[in-house]
Coordinates of all heavy atoms in Angstrom, one line a residue:
Chain A
T107 N -40.8 79.2 -44.7 CA -40.1 78.4 -45.7 C -40.8 77.0 -45.9 O -41.6 76.6 -45.1 CB -38.7 78.1 -45.2 OG1 -38.8 77.4 -43.9 CG2 -37.9 79.4 -45.0
E108 N -40.4 76.4 -47.1 CA -41.1 75.2 -47.4 C -40.7 74.0 -46.4 O -41.5 73.2 -46.1 CB -40.8 74.8 -48.9 CG -41.6 73.6 -49.3 CD -41.6 73.4 -50.8 OE1 -41.0 74.1 -51.5 OE2 -42.3 72.5 -51.2
Y109 N -39.4 74.0 -46.1 CA -38.9 73.0 -45.2 C -38.2 73.6 -44.1 O -37.6 74.6 -44.2 CB -37.9 72.0 -46.0 CG -38.7 71.2 -47.0 CD1 -38.5 71.6 -48.4 CD2 -39.6 70.1 -46.7 CE1 -39.2 70.9 -49.3 CE2 -40.2 69.4 -47.7 CZ -40.1 69.8 -49.0 OH -40.8 69.1 -50.0
P110 N -38.1 72.9 -42.9 CA -38.8 71.7 -42.5 C -40.4 71.9 -42.4 O -40.8 73.0 -42.0 CB -38.2 71.3 -41.2 CG -37.8 72.6 -40.6 CD -37.3 73.5 -41.7
K111 N -41.1 70.9 -42.7 CA -42.6 71.0 -42.6 C -42.9 71.0 -41.1 O -42.4 70.2 -40.4 CB -43.3 69.8 -43.3 CG -43.0 69.7 -44.8 CD -43.8 70.7 -45.5 CE -43.8 70.5 -47.0 NZ -44.2 71.7 -47.8
S112 N -43.9 71.8 -40.7 CA -44.3 71.9 -39.3 C -45.6 71.3 -39.2 O -46.6 71.6 -39.9 CB -44.3 73.4 -38.9 OG -45.0 73.5 -37.8
L113 N -45.8 70.2 -38.3 CA -47.0 69.5 -38.2 C -48.0 70.3 -37.4 O -47.6 70.8 -36.3 CB -46.8 68.1 -37.5 CG -45.6 67.3 -37.9 CD1 -45.7 66.0 -37.3 CD2 -45.5 67.2 -39.5
C114 N -49.3 70.3 -37.8 CA -50.3 70.9 -37.0 C -50.9 69.8 -36.2 O -51.8 69.1 -36.7 CB -51.3 71.6 -37.9 SG -52.7 72.3 -37.0
L115 N -50.5 69.7 -35.0 CA -50.9 68.5 -34.1 C -52.3 68.7 -33.5 O -53.0 67.7 -33.3 CB -50.0 68.3 -33.0 CG -48.6 67.8 -33.3 CD1 -47.9 67.5 -32.0 CD2 -48.6 66.6 -34.1
Y116 N -52.6 69.9 -33.2 CA -53.9 70.1 -32.4 C -54.8 71.1 -33.0 O -54.3 72.1 -33.6 CB -53.5 70.6 -31.0 CG -52.6 69.8 -30.1 CD1 -51.2 70.1 -30.0 CD2 -53.0 68.6 -29.6 CE1 -50.3 69.3 -29.2 CE2 -52.1 67.8 -28.8 CZ -50.8 68.2 -28.6 OH -50.0 67.4 -27.9
E117 N -56.0 70.9 -32.8 CA -57.0 71.9 -33.2 C -57.3 73.0 -32.1 O -57.6 74.1 -32.3 CB -58.3 71.3 -33.7 CG -58.2 70.7 -35.1 CD -59.3 69.7 -35.3 OE1 -60.2 69.6 -34.6 OE2 -59.1 68.9 -36.3
Q118 N -57.1 72.5 -30.9 CA -57.4 73.3 -29.7 C -56.3 74.4 -29.5 O -55.2 74.2 -29.9 CB -57.6 72.6 -28.5 CG -58.8 71.5 -28.5 CD -58.2 70.2 -28.9 OE1 -57.3 70.0 -29.7 NE2 -58.8 69.2 -28.2
D119 N -56.7 75.4 -28.7 CA -55.8 76.4 -28.3 C -54.8 75.8 -27.3 O -55.1 74.9 -26.5 CB -56.6 77.5 -27.6 CG -55.7 78.6 -27.2 OD1 -55.4 79.4 -28.1 OD2 -55.3 78.7 -26.0
W120 N -53.5 76.1 -27.5 CA -52.5 75.6 -26.7 C -52.7 75.8 -25.2 O -52.5 74.9 -24.4 CB -51.1 76.2 -27.1 CG -49.9 76.0 -26.2 CD1 -49.1 76.8 -25.7 CD2 -49.4 74.6 -25.9 NE1 -48.1 76.2 -24.9 CE2 -48.3 74.8 -25.1 CE3 -49.8 73.3 -26.2 CZ2 -47.5 73.8 -24.6 CZ3 -49.0 72.3 -25.7 CH2 -47.9 72.5 -24.9
N121 N -53.2 76.9 -24.8 CA -53.5 77.2 -23.4 C -54.5 76.2 -22.8 O -54.5 75.8 -21.6 CB -53.9 78.6 -23.2 CG -52.8 79.6 -23.3 OD1 -51.7 79.4 -22.7 ND2 -53.0 80.6 -24.1
E122 N -55.4 75.8 -23.6 CA -56.4 74.8 -23.2 C -55.9 73.4 -23.1 O -56.3 72.6 -22.3 CB -57.7 74.7 -24.1 CG -58.5 76.0 -23.9 CD -59.7 76.1 -24.9 OE1 -60.1 75.0 -25.2 OE2 -60.0 77.2 -25.3
L123 N -54.8 73.1 -24.0 CA -54.3 71.8 -24.0 C -53.3 71.5 -22.8 O -53.1 70.4 -22.5 CB -53.4 71.7 -25.3 CG -54.2 71.5 -26.5 CD1 -53.3 71.7 -27.7 CD2 -54.8 70.1 -26.6

Side-chain angles (χ1 to χ4, degrees):
Chain A
T107 55
E108 186 167 3
Y109 294 104
K111 298 285 190 197
S112 164
L113 319 187
C114 176
L115 289 188
Y116 301 106
E117 282 161 14
Q118 299 97 318
D119 184 79
W120 171 236
N121 287 310
E122 285 176 33
L123 284 165

